[in-house]
Amino acid sequence: VRGGRAPAWRIRRALRPLLEQPHYRDAALRLGQAIAAEMDGGAAASARVLAIARQGG
């Protein structure tokens, strides 16, 4: 996708196979809960995703 943008349906289609696997689904739920608990969601989301990526999931 040009310009680094993708429609929601394309992202959903790409992520669905991952989220059907319990390990990935549980990690996504934990990530979502952590982001929701933060005051600054954007900065918290970036920091959390980077931390998880560094840990390897």
Side-chain angles (χ1 to χ4, degrees):
V1 175
R2 292 181 186 208
R5 296 176 185 250
W9 66 266
R10 184 171 283 173
I11 296 169
R12 183 173 43 250
R13 184 174 67 185
L15 292 177
R16 186 170 304 245
L18 286 177
L19 295 177
E20 289 174 351
Q21 298 179 32
H23 174 76
Y24 289 109
R25 183 180 59 244
D26 294 344
L29 288 171
R30 286 192 309 273
L31 176 61
Q33 290 167 347
I35 292 169
E38 295 289 334
M39 296 298 282
D40 181 4
S46 297
R48 188 79 172 137
V49 168
L50 288 173
I52 290 171
R54 288 182 185 124
Q55 294 173 358

